[in-house]
């Protein structure tokens, strides 16, 4: 091999599945930029902010620098963490990027911990060559195809999708009787010229956001991922508002269904366009969502989901044609929906249980999907218990005085430092995109409450002590804490945390903690026996586990028992897209789950009341 | 552009939505006939009855004639009314047809020999009572239904149609958890309040006419039957014209498909309305038609049907959802199409073979479906041979000088009597509805040729002998026989049979006879061994078997071996609607058939030539 002055190396960023090709000596931060990975880097690569933490899992790089030794705690170093701005590439490298190191624009929450899976999709492609018809061989096109498929691939089909069948005669004749077929469950669902890989689409339909993944079903590769708002947001922020809208007559129920389907259709088209494909090449889609989103996308009535005993119309795993939903994918494309567990424990939670593998694990594991509704599962001793609690919208920044969604300008991290050497105490915070602070998102308010309690501003019961901090001030409506004063770092107005905000967080965190407590009681376990806590979902990804522990939302366990796994529902949807075995596992999970209804549970109220205080 | 002697123009008839393509100078009455619009025209276009009033709303036509000035009142003229028989087309024209100018429903062939059949429809109704959900029983509606069905009726379903599922939750709650389900092949396809019998629809889609039957699937009773024109008639009288239209681009192919589906949809709605039901109560439909109609209703490409080797896209029996076709039946309704045998032996012939039971009989039997294309089958010694021959449109009254469809005023029977006691020979005839004679339909022209031959007017080769009969007269174009003189029984003009008409019948009947001859040869049988001849179809019902024997269309067998069974295709469709066993029989028939291609058969030309002469 000839000597090359500067050699190029690949840098793979996991779990994002992005790759850069860079010369030797390039920093990981530069490589990340090139690969389109939005790594935090508040100091711009000076090594002073310590936010661009990554773990090098394979390949040779430069040794830790002085800046890293200063900025990284010993435990972080022990875990192999590095600052991306300080690490230079010496070979092909694979890097693991923790969700907390990723900047806001990508926060549509599409990343999650991916696990490798054996490729075994429901829809598979086969190339066949047919003998052209003649006066001696007058078999119909459909029969000719069926027999060729059996002879050439030992695949038996008993049906051809009608849309695919309509395309077949011309396609055969235009392509010299050699075509590619996509077969699913004994049915030819698509026909195409040879060489075109069928596409799959996985979508996690959240109440607020949708995360979508476009996948090459032959290679298993994720071609592109994207997060967008759920277009139903225009009909209300939460599930109950949308149920109320849908109950106001058939036309409205249809309208709110249609807006969601059209949103999915747009999303599919845009994802495909981004990689130069067409959405008519998507042959299989997997959708997950909470039970209400599941019913709404299917056009099922939702009235019964809004009334006790909150019974779904449909719970088991469900297959239907994309066409039946009005989705414009391949004419014969199918849509698979994972099973629901109950009215408030939906297919998204099943997907999370699937992706986290927690049901297969030996450890006693708690899984949490934190949102307006929080779904909680407990896997212990072969049992699987699930419940849902109404944690309210505070974690999404709603019902908070200066609350907002996780968007540019939202304060997402807060630290209150004691003033040293006679200096007044400082408030440190980080905003999404480093934009001027305009409000507080869920992870910010959680940090805020945790810090205010830590520095003694908040009492056990959540009230604010006047005079406990220079920034505590009285208003006509009560006491509040001034987080950011108007004008500071370009802030257009004051940003505060008040007593009612603290109360919202108390109510929300108590619901989560009480849910865990009831499941533990049902399983006759103590908190301390929990070996692992898996935290999923958008808020679950960005929250600071220490803060969640500090406010008492989580069982008081050692920090290392917690794992944040990102958008596990989306990952679960992708697994179900790539593997029929994963579908079976998901269906088995839904069958096994023992659903625990909290609203009528004799122990819930006591557990909830006990959890309201701040530790 | 080169000069064209006669240009073709379109004539659109509103509000009927029918279209004709005619040469310049064609009258609107003629165009109406071509478009299948049943315009009044008692005088047959002489301008004397004044009943064919229409309004020309767009396009250039000839100015009012003297006849119109006499027949139309000044007010009518002021409103732009014209007599369709007097107006000649000079350009593309759009015409408004007042309801009063449309004839009584045209005669359609809906009756046929019915055989009793054990009721065993694909879709069956079951009443179930469900336990309402409670906090102790949170099963989803779909699961609750499935389990009740199994417990109460021992019926296992593994799927609920999506449209039916969408109706289920509200229906259950509005009907006190007691509902009627319609189940088909392991799927719940419809839900309804108890007490409502599911409906079935059977349609024979002929190239010219459609015959439809609405059936109560619980009792097997035919509630109502109706025959209507195939709305595709506006796109050409025969299959080849429609294939040509469909080949002129995707939009046109879709248009001609859609007009047929919409026609079926209208038909379903009208039939249901006639018995106070709704077409959303139809849970199963069976369609039969020739291979081209079969493909067109399914929206399959037809180009390959118009080119050798005339291979269908689909031949086997086919099930799809009515919704996939755009038919507005019950949301989960299915459509079943009987199998095709070949490009020119379609599902309608299979239905005829099913209804006639000829395949099960021990006798050597010939079955004939006579039309523009005639399908012929021979059942003998366990074998079943089928072929198709191009018999042309003469039997439907087309390409005949005074030919017309079987509509009021058409001469359908003719007898020529020798004059007795010095009286001149008499012509006796019967018209449909006893209306004044305006033309001759297929059975009439067949009678006419048979009679002209019998009384010695026609020679063996079909030429007319001058002086052989007082009514034989010479014209500039040759010899003709005056059947009805203008004025006789109100006839608006002379009705004649000329040499060319006789020739058309010779060509047509020779094709049929040659087809039978080739099948016999393939089976190594002689004509005399045929024990039964089953004659089906509209023309087959009304033709006089003696006349058909007299012109040599049928094998020369004793009269009692012939049986006319009416619309056997429609009957076969109804059997398939009522009985799954009949579907199996039909599928078995299609598998067993040995198709014989006549166009390339070494013996066909000789047999055809031999059959041209009149006996």
């Amino acid at each position: 091999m000839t000597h090359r002055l500067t050699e190029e190396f690949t840098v793979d960023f996991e779990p994002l599945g992005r790759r850069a090709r860079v010369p030797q000596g390039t920093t990981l931060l530069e490589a990340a930029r090139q690969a389109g990975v939005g790594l935090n880097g508040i100091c711009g690569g000076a090594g002073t902010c310590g936010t661009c933490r990554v773990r090098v899992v394979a390949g040779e790089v430069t040794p830790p620098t002085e800046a890293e030794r200063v900025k990284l705690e010993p435990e972080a170093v022990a875990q192999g963490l590095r600052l991306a701005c300080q690490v230079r590439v010496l070979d092909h490298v694979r890097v693991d990027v923790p969700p907390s190191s990723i900047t806001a624009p990508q926060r549509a929450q599409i990343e999650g911990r991916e696990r490798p899976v054996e490729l075994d999709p429901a829809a598979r492609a086969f190339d066949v060559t047919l003998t052209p018809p003649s006066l001696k061989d007058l078999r119909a096109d459909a029969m000719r195809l069926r027999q060729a498929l059996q002879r050439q691939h030992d695949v038996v089909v008993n049906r051809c999708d009608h849309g695919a069948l309509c395309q077949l005669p011309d396609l055969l004749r235009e392509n010299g009787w050699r075509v590619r077929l996509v077969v699913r469950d004994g049915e030819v669902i698509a026909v195409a010229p040879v060489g075109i890989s069928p596409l799959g689409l996985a979508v996690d339909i959240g109440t607020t956001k949708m995360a979508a993944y476009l996948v090459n079903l032959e290679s298993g590769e994720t071609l592109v991922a994207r997060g967008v708002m759920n277009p139903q947001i225009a009909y209300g922020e939460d599930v109950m508002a949308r149920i109320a809208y849908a109950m106001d007559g058939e036309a409205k129920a249809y309208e709110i269904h249609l807006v969601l389907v059209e949103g999915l259709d747009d999303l599919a088209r845009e994802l495909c366009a981004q990689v130069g494909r067409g959405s008519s090449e998507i042959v299989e889609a997997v959708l997950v969502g909470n039970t209400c989103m599941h019913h709404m996308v299917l056009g099922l009535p939702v009235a019964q989901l809004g009334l006790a005993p909150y019974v779904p119309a449909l719970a088991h795993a469900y297959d239907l044609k994309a066409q039946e939903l009005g989705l414009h994918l391949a004419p014969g494309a199918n849509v698979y929906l994972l099973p629901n567990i109950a009215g408030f424990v939906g297919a998204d939670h099943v997907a999370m249980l699937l992706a986290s593998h927690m049901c297969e694990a030996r450890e006693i594991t708690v899984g949490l999907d934190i949102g307006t509704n929080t779904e909680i599962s407990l896997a212990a001793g072969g049992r699987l218990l699930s419940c849902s609690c109404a944690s309210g919208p505070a974690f999404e920044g709603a019902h908070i005085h200066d609350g907002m969604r996780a968007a540019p300008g939202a304060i997402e991290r807060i630290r209150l430092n004691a003033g040293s050497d006679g200096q007044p105490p400082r408030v440190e915070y980080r905003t999404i995109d480093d934009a001027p602070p305009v409000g507080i998102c869920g992870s910010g308010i959680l940090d805020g409450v945790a810090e205010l309690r830590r520095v003694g501003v908040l009492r056990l019961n959540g009230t604010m002590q006047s005079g406990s901090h220079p920034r505590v001030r009285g208003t006509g409506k009560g006491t509040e804490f001034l987080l950011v004063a108007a004008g500071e770092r370009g802030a257009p107005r004051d940003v505060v945390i008040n007593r009612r905000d603290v109360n919202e967080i108390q109510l929300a965190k108590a619901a989560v903690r009480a849910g865990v407590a009831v499941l533990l009681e049902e399983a006759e376990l103590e908190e301390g026996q929990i070996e692992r806590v898996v935290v999923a979902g958008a808020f679950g990804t960005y929250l600071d586990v220490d803060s969640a522990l500090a406010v008492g939302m989580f069982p008081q366990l050692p920090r290392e028992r917690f794992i944040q796994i990102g958008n596990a529902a989306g990952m679960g949807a992708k697994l179900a897209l790539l593997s029929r075995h994963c579908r079976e596992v998901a269906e088995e999970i839904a069958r096994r789950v023992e659903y625990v209804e909290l609203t009528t549970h004799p122990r819930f109220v006591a557990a909830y009341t006990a959890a309201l205080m701040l530790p």
Side-chain angles (χ1 to χ4, degrees), chain A residues 220-233:
Chain A
E221 183 196 359
T222 300
L223 303 176
V224 59
R226 182 186 280 199
V228 297
M229 295 301 286
N230 181 329
Q232 283 189 336
I233 203 85

Side-chain angles (χ1 to χ4, degrees), chain A residues 248-271:
Chain A
D248 195 17
E250 259 181 50
K252 288 190 172 177
Y254 182 67
E255 178 191 355
I256 198 167
H257 155 68
L258 195 63
V259 76
L260 184 52
V261 168
E262 288 176 346
L264 284 174
D265 226 18
D266 291 344
L267 189 55
R269 204 172 34 249
E270 288 161 14
L271 284 173

Side-chain angles (χ1 to χ4, degrees), chain A residues 115 356-367 377-379 529-535 557 560-563 565:
Chain A
R115 301 225 183 189
S356 70
H357 293 245
M358 63 175 266
C359 309
E360 300 143 44
R362 293 277 169 99
E363 300 106 322
I364 295 172
T365 306
V366 167
S377 285
L378 169 65
Q529 294 177 271
I530 300 171
E531 292 163 275
R532 202 159 60 112
V533 179
V534 175
V535 186
L557 301 166
E560 62 271 16
R561 295 198 193 168
F562 291 84
I563 175 172
I565 59 168

Side-chain angles (χ1 to χ4, degrees), chain A residues 417-437:
Chain A
N417 294 320
S420 56
D421 301 328
Q423 295 289 312
R426 278 188 305 131
V427 175
E428 290 183 345
Y429 57 87
R430 190 173 76 204
T431 65
I432 295 177
D433 279 4
D434 248 346

Side-chain angles (χ1 to χ4, degrees), chain A residues 38-49:
Chain A
L39 272 190
N40 285 328
I42 299 171
C43 69
T48 55
C49 72

Side-chain angles (χ1 to χ4, degrees), chain A residues 80 109 124 193 209 291 321 324-325 353 392 471 503 558 580 590:
Chain A
Q109 190 46 41
R124 288 180 60 203
K209 288 176 180 167
T291 309
K321 290 276 177 180
E324 290 184 81
L325 282 191
L353 294 174
R471 290 190 174 226
N503 196 48
R580 287 183 292 185

Side-chain angles (χ1 to χ4, degrees), chain A residues 158-238:
Chain A
N158 50 47
R159 192 178 145 76
C160 184
D161 170 77
H162 188 64
L165 182 64
C166 287
Q167 298 175 338
L168 180 67
D170 294 347
L171 194 82
L172 283 173
R173 288 165 181 81
E174 286 159 12
N175 288 277
W177 300 88
R178 178 162 171 75
V179 293
R180 169 161 286 192
L181 308 174
V182 182
V183 177
R184 183 196 202 266
D185 201 15
E187 181 181 24
V188 174
I189 59 163
V191 292
V194 294
I196 294 181
S197 295
L199 301 179
L201 179 72
V203 188
D204 166 32
I205 307 172
T207 309
T208 307
K209 288 176 180 167
M210 307 198 293
Y213 310 82
L214 187 69
V215 174
N216 177 329
L217 287 181
E218 273 191 317
S219 67
E221 183 196 359
T222 300
L223 303 176
V224 59
R226 182 186 280 199
V228 297
M229 295 301 286
N230 181 329
Q232 283 189 336
I233 203 85
Y235 298 84
E237 299 248 334
D238 60 30

Side-chain angles (χ1 to χ4, degrees), chain A residues 216-446:
Chain A
N216 177 329
L217 287 181
E218 273 191 317
S219 67
E221 183 196 359
T222 300
L223 303 176
V224 59
R226 182 186 280 199
V228 297
M229 295 301 286
N230 181 329
Q232 283 189 336
I233 203 85
Y235 298 84
E237 299 248 334
D238 60 30
V239 157
M240 280 302 168
R242 298 193 204 160
I243 290 178
Y245 189 86
M247 283 174 70
D248 195 17
E250 259 181 50
K252 288 190 172 177
Y254 182 67
E255 178 191 355
I256 198 167
H257 155 68
L258 195 63
V259 76
L260 184 52
V261 168
E262 288 176 346
L264 284 174
D265 226 18
D266 291 344
L267 189 55
R269 204 172 34 249
E270 288 161 14
L271 284 173
C272 288
Q274 214 171 320
V275 293
R277 305 286 295 265
S279 52
S280 66
E281 297 171 52
I282 297 175
V283 298
E284 180 92 7
V286 172
L287 305 181
V288 303
N290 60 50
T291 309
C292 180
M293 290 302 111
H294 169 281
H295 277 42
M296 279 186 161
V297 77
L298 285 175
L300 291 171
V302 289
Q304 75 289 351
L305 290 180
L307 295 165
Y310 313 104
V311 173
L314 173 73
H316 58 266
Y318 194 60
D319 260 322
L320 80 169
K321 290 276 177 180
Q323 206 189 25
E324 290 184 81
L325 282 191
L327 285 177
H328 297 91
L329 312 182
N334 286 73
V335 177
Y336 173 83
L337 291 101
L338 270 74
N340 295 313
I341 292 170
F344 283 97
V345 184
D348 52 355
H349 191 62
V350 174
M352 176 274 202
L353 294 174
L354 173 68
S356 70
H357 293 245
M358 63 175 266
C359 309
E360 300 143 44
R362 293 277 169 99
E363 300 106 322
I364 295 172
T365 306
V366 167
L368 294 154
D369 258 326
I370 306 169
T372 304
N373 265 282
T374 296
E375 293 90 41
I376 309 170
S377 285
L378 169 65
R383 286 178 74 188
L384 186 56
L385 297 121
S386 296
C387 69
S388 163
C389 58
S391 37
F395 294 143
E396 309 200 329
H399 294 196
I400 298 295
H401 186 273
D402 287 328
M404 66 181 289
R405 290 234 184 77
I411 295 170
E412 55 169 347
R413 281 278 171 279
I414 298 172
R415 289 289 175 272
L416 304 183
N417 294 320
S420 56
D421 301 328
Q423 295 289 312
R426 278 188 305 131
V427 175
E428 290 183 345
Y429 57 87
R430 190 173 76 204
T431 65
I432 295 177
D433 279 4
D434 248 346
V438 290
I440 320 173
C441 68
S443 60
I445 188 76
L446 186 74

